[in-house]
Amino acid sequence: MKKMSLVALLALSTLAFAQKIDQPTKVKNSNDKALLVKSDAAELEAKKKAAAEEKAKLPKPYDSKADAQADINKLVAQAKKEGKNIMIQAGGNWCIWCLRFNQYVQTTPELKKIVDKNYLYYHLNYSPDNNNEKVFSQYGNPGEKFGYPVFIVLDKTGKMIHVQQSDVLEEGKGYSLEKTKTFFNQWAPKS
């Protein structure tokens, strides 16, 4: 019995020792750490470069010089005549997700058809050049809560009926067709 206990103890000790050897050792050399950081920095720079190239190719629909309140007032008058709602896409030309959404809607026939039939569309600028503080405050400053882009839906009288954050419409590096269609259809004017 003593021999069995001794063999079991020896086997457990060997197993415990083997586990310690197999564990990864921590990096102690500061140069090794620097290499890891450089690799991460290089990857981050590559991602930034790719995003900048993508952004450069996309249309820039936001006008920092526009009088947003006057533009929205005109849209309300037009919406009353046409029986449409107003879709305000708030953001800026600095925002890759804002530009992606605009491009997605403009180049996806199903979405473009829904939007053109039901909405007057406006890009409300938010940037250091013009943050349209007074206009945004009328709608509860949704960009501060949800980020950009954020969508503000007005009925044909100019009354805000919905605010939609955009992340729920995202899919991968773009937007979900089904979720976006559902959003546009849900807030279209009721016949």
Side-chain angles (χ1 to χ4, degrees):
M1 186 79 167
K2 283 186 178 181
K3 273 188 175 179
M4 268 184 128
S5 296
L6 187 57
V7 169
L9 181 62
L10 185 58
L12 285 174
S13 298
T14 304
L15 183 61
F17 180 74
Q19 285 180 344
K20 283 185 180 178
I21 290 175
D22 289 339
Q23 291 178 350
T25 56
K26 292 183 179 178
V27 176
K28 293 181 182 177
N29 184 340
S30 65
N31 290 334
D32 290 343
K33 287 181 183 178
L35 288 175
L36 290 174
V37 171
K38 285 180 185 175
S39 172
D40 291 345
E43 186 177 326
L44 182 61
E45 279 303 311
K47 286 181 181 180
K48 282 183 182 179
K49 183 179 178 187
E53 288 172 0
E54 178 187 2
K55 194 185 301 185
K57 293 176 184 175
L58 294 170
K60 309 297 184 283
Y62 296 92
D63 182 359
S64 64
K65 293 176 177 45
D67 181 342
Q69 189 61 63
D71 291 347
I72 292 169
N73 292 345
K74 289 176 191 171
L75 288 174
V76 171
Q78 185 181 346
K80 285 178 186 175
K81 290 178 189 172
E82 296 181 19
K84 293 182 177 184
N85 284 348
I86 299 166
M87 178 66 62
I88 298 175
Q89 180 182 324
N93 294 330
W94 52 268
C95 168
I96 189 72
W97 284 96
C98 301
L99 301 180
R100 283 176 181 160
F101 191 84
N102 176 67
Q103 180 71 3
Y104 185 57
V105 171
Q106 296 303 314
T107 60
T108 306
E110 279 181 80
L111 296 176
K112 182 95 170 98
K113 183 179 177 182
I114 295 168
V115 168
D116 290 348
K117 178 182 176 191
N118 297 294
Y119 298 97
L120 298 176
Y121 210 93
Y122 187 72
H123 291 89
L124 177 58
N125 183 72
Y126 179 84
S127 69
D129 295 340
N130 184 356
N131 62 14
N132 284 301
E133 189 175 339
K134 288 182 181 179
V135 176
F136 276 102
S137 68
Q138 294 175 74
Y139 306 120
N141 295 309
E144 290 177 8
K145 297 174 193 165
F146 303 121
Y148 297 94
V150 64
F151 306 97
I152 305 163
V153 185
L154 309 179
D155 68 11
K156 65 182 176 183
T157 68
K159 178 184 171 200
M160 184 175 72
I161 56 174
H162 183 67
V163 172
Q164 177 71 50
Q165 61 196 72
S166 65
D167 62 342
V168 298
L169 305 175
E170 293 173 11
E171 186 173 83
K173 285 189 171 192
Y175 290 92
S176 161
L177 178 61
E178 289 308 311
K179 290 177 185 177
T180 305
K181 276 176 35 179
T182 299
F183 164 61
F184 283 137
N185 284 325
Q186 182 177 4
W187 296 103
K190 307 300 181 226
S191 301

